[in-house]
Amino acid sequence: RDLVRSRGLGDVYKRQETLFSQLNDQFLMIRNYAKQPIGLFTRIAAKVSALTVLQYVNYVNHRKIGQVKYALI
């Protein structure tokens, strides 16, 4: 609530839309070949887990956690 009050609702909604757009692009949600909802859930969970691991690798190596493209190099 404090975040909403200090920044305003417009900023929070804009940040939320940006985050969902980035995740959609990164996870290639448009290209989804799951046949059942559980398959879709499994694919999303695997991608979120992989992203989390890459962010942790960047954190351990004192890099920006948002730049995961070259985290393993």
Side-chain angles (χ1 to χ4, degrees):
R1 287 185 169 186
D2 292 333
L3 178 65
V4 172
R5 288 181 190 155
S6 65
R7 297 180 112 190
L9 285 177
D11 292 340
V12 173
Y13 290 136
K14 183 177 179 182
R15 177 67 181 141
Q16 182 182 11
E17 287 181 11
T18 302
L19 177 63
F20 283 132
S21 176
Q22 289 173 348
L23 290 175
N24 191 13
D25 290 343
Q26 190 163 6
F27 292 159
L28 297 173
M29 295 305 295
I30 299 297
R31 220 182 305 163
N32 175 18
Y33 302 110
K35 304 287 188 222
Q36 297 176 351
I38 191 69
L40 175 63
F41 175 75
T42 303
R43 289 170 189 237
I44 292 172
K47 290 180 179 188
V48 169
S49 298
L51 179 64
T52 304
V53 168
L54 291 176
Q55 288 177 336
Y56 181 72
V57 167
N58 277 346
Y59 174 76
V60 168
N61 292 327
H62 305 290
R63 297 180 183 163
K64 295 180 182 178
I65 64 168
Q67 297 177 349
V68 296
K69 190 172 184 177
Y70 301 107
L72 299 177
I73 296 176

